């Protein structure tokens, strides 16, 4: 194999994490300066689920307090967070594509099979969704955006996220190590 | 002057385009930080790669310092900035559930979108789990929503809670980041053996 081939197949390295954090901080700053609010992700999925529920049964969706909040304004998907998350998808795709990291497969440790990994991913997603609903935000909206404005509840949220992560990590070590 | 939403009359299309553009930058940076990989994200919980804390901590300190400066210079009106209402019990319980789901599932909502865009099937399963979890929450425990919102205290920030000026917190966070950077470098050496091959 020629050296040029090797270079073409290796993905570009990740940014230095402190540099990436600085740039991410600038993106968060821009979001506050432009929109008067921080970043977020989970709210976009709430809008999506409210839209699906409304399509399945409008009466039931509009009577449900969780969905109704999103249905008041008309089209829940034409809002700040859904468009932000759509942009996040496209931006992530551009990043992965241009770095040579766009490849279809599973992300998992060496000792877990594909089916259990997919099942744990699904279950973890459901847990994260319920947690984000109760906390009124996820890692983006609470931890990142809230901590930057010294929001006391957001800082408590972030400590809880890491506390639970470290506490549960031991029990799922076969998934990742 | 800032936020622009308070000084400039955005059309709906322009506002949504701005949201999309901010999302583009957000997704690109998350990908470059390595946050499109569940393995790299969860590595923080085993200590051999602390990138999650390095990136988040640096981003928080950067934005905090810049927002404080912009506000002190009179460029930014913090009263016009939306801050998530505080309900400690809800935020701690929700945070514990989210943290558990993070290490079990491998992602949080934002990073799963980036991993999905990078072709990860497990991130697609994670997103399906989010949709299922949200639907189940709305279906079976819709009452929690009202409790969380009705018992929220409004905006509570460390400066408003303690009376200590924001600038001191910025200084403290910068110092804490410098200390944490040393601690994380130590942890990565200490737990390097856990990195799977």
């Amino acid at each position: 194999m020629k050296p040029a081939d090797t270079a073409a197949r290796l993905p570009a390295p990740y940014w230095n994490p402190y540099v990436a954090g600085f740039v991410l901080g600038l993106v968060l700053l821009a979001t506050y300066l432009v929109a008067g609010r921080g970043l977020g992700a989970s709210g976009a999925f709430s809008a999506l689920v409210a839209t699906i529920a409304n399509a399945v049964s409008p009466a039931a969706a509009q009577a449900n307090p969780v969905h109704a909040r999103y249905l008041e304004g008309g089209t829940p998907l034409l809002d700040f967070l859904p468009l932000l998350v759509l942009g996040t998808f496209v931006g992530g795709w551009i990043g992965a594509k241009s770095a040579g990291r766009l490849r279809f497969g599973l992300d998992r440790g060496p000792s877990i099979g594909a089916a259990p990994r997919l099942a744990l991913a699904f279950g973890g997603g459901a847990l994260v969704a319920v947690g984000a609903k109760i906390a009124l935000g996820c890692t983006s909206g609470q931890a990142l955006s809230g901590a930057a404005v010294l929001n006391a509840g957001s800082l408590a949220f972030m400590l809880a996220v890491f506390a639970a992560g470290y506490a549960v990590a031991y029990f799922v070590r076969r998934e990742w190590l | 002057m800032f936020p622009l939403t308070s000084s400039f009359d955005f059309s709906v299309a322009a506002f949504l385009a701005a949201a999309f553009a901010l999302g583009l930058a957000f997704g690109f940076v998350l990908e470059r930080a390595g946050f499109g990989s569940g393995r790299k994200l969860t590595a923080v919980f085993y200590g051999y790669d602390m990138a999650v804390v390095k990136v988040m901590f640096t981003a928080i300190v950067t934005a905090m310092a810049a927002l404080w400066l912009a506000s002190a210079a009179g460029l930014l009106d913090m009263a016009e900035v939306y801050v998530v209402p505080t309900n400690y019990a809800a935020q701690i319980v929700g945070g514990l559930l989210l943290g558990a789901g993070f290490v079990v599932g491998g992602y949080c909502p934002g990073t799963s979108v980036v991993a999905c865009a990078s072709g990860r099937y497990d991130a697609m399963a994670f997103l399906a789990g989010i949709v299922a979890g949200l639907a189940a929450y709305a279906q079976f425990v819709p009452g929690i929503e009202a409790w969380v919102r009705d018992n929220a205290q409004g905006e509570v920030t460390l400066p408003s809670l303690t009376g200590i000026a924001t600038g001191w917190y910025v200084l403290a966070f910068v110092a804490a980041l410098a200390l944490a950077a040393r601690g994380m470098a130590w942890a990565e050496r200490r737990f390097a053996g856990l990195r799977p091959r």
Side-chain angles (χ1 to χ4, degrees), chain A residues 14-15 21 33 36 64 69 84 88 95 98 101-103 105 107-108 117 126 139 142 150-153 164 166 169 175-176, chain B residues 3-4 31-32 34 37-39 44 46 59 82-84 86 91 96 103-105 108 117-118 121-122 129 138 156-158:
Chain A
Y14 295 128
W15 285 353
L33 293 182
N64 185 294
R69 294 175 45 78
L84 184 97
T88 305
S98 60
R101 265 192 292 273
L102 181 59
R103 57 175 179 82
D107 217 59
R108 55 178 160 145
R117 169 69 192 114
T139 331
Q142 282 282 359
L150 290 162
N151 185 335
Y166 281 103
E175 187 182 5
W176 300 112
Chain B
L4 282 183
E31 201 286 328
R32 280 296 189 271
S37 160
R39 200 155 130 172
V44 70
Y46 301 101
Y82 171 74
V83 175
V84 182
T86 287
Q91 279 162 311
L96 291 172
V103 69
V104 169
C108 59
S118 309
Y121 296 128
D122 51 316
V156 183
T157 64
L158 290 187

Side-chain angles (χ1 to χ4, degrees), chain B residues 8 22 29 39 52 67 76 91 97 100 132 165-166 183:
Chain B
F8 179 75
L22 290 164
V29 179
R39 200 155 130 172
V52 168
L67 287 170
L76 170 68
Q91 279 162 311
L97 289 173
T166 308

Side-chain angles (χ1 to χ4, degrees), chain A:
Chain A
M1 196 191 290
K2 287 179 291 185
D5 291 341
T6 324
R9 282 177 198 190
L10 281 175
Y14 295 128
W15 285 353
N16 175 298
Y18 295 106
V19 173
F22 177 71
V23 180
L24 181 59
L26 296 182
V27 174
L28 177 58
L29 172 69
T31 308
Y32 269 119
L33 293 182
V34 171
R37 53 161 302 157
L39 295 161
S42 50
F45 296 104
S46 296
L48 175 68
V49 172
T51 304
I52 297 170
N54 196 43
V56 174
S57 166
Q62 280 153 27
N64 185 294
V66 179
H67 295 319
R69 294 175 45 78
Y70 293 90
L71 299 169
E72 283 161 11
T75 317
L77 288 175
L78 286 181
D79 204 352
F80 183 78
L81 285 180
L83 266 290
L84 184 97
V85 167
L86 187 65
T88 305
F89 183 87
V90 178
W93 182 85
I94 293 170
K97 182 80 182 163
S98 60
R101 265 192 292 273
L102 181 59
R103 57 175 179 82
F104 288 88
L106 282 175
D107 217 59
R108 55 178 160 145
S111 355
I112 187 170
R117 169 69 192 114
L118 285 170
L120 286 170
F122 183 87
L127 258 180
V128 163
V130 173
K133 274 322 262 189
I134 295 175
L136 304 180
C138 60
T139 331
S140 314
Q142 282 282 359
L144 207 55
S145 306
V149 292
L150 290 162
N151 185 335
S154 298
L155 292 164
F157 168 86
M158 185 157 57
L159 291 179
V161 168
F162 279 99
Y166 281 103
V168 175
Y170 176 80
F171 301 100
V172 291
R173 63 193 185 282
R174 303 281 288 172
E175 187 182 5
W176 300 112
L177 298 179

Side-chain angles (χ1 to χ4, degrees), chain B residues 36-139:
Chain B
S37 160
R39 200 155 130 172
K40 187 168 175 75
L41 288 165
T42 53
V44 70
F45 298 117
Y46 301 101
Y48 67 84
D49 183 344
M50 299 299 289
V52 168
V53 177
K54 292 178 189 172
V55 172
M56 281 188 67
F57 207 151
T58 311
I60 288 167
V61 169
T62 302
M64 187 190 294
L67 287 170
W68 170 64
L69 286 172
S71 171
L75 292 171
L76 170 68
D77 182 5
M78 282 304 286
E80 292 287 330
V81 168
Y82 171 74
V83 175
V84 182
T86 287
N87 176 332
Y88 291 114
Q91 279 162 311
I92 290 169
V93 171
L96 291 172
L97 289 173
L98 192 138
F102 185 176
V103 69
V104 169
Y107 305 96
C108 59
T111 52
S112 74
V113 171
V114 174
C116 213
S118 309
R120 300 298 194 278
Y121 296 128
D122 51 316
M124 298 170 200
F126 184 91
L127 280 178
I130 288 187
V131 170
L134 290 174
Y137 177 85
Q139 186 67 39

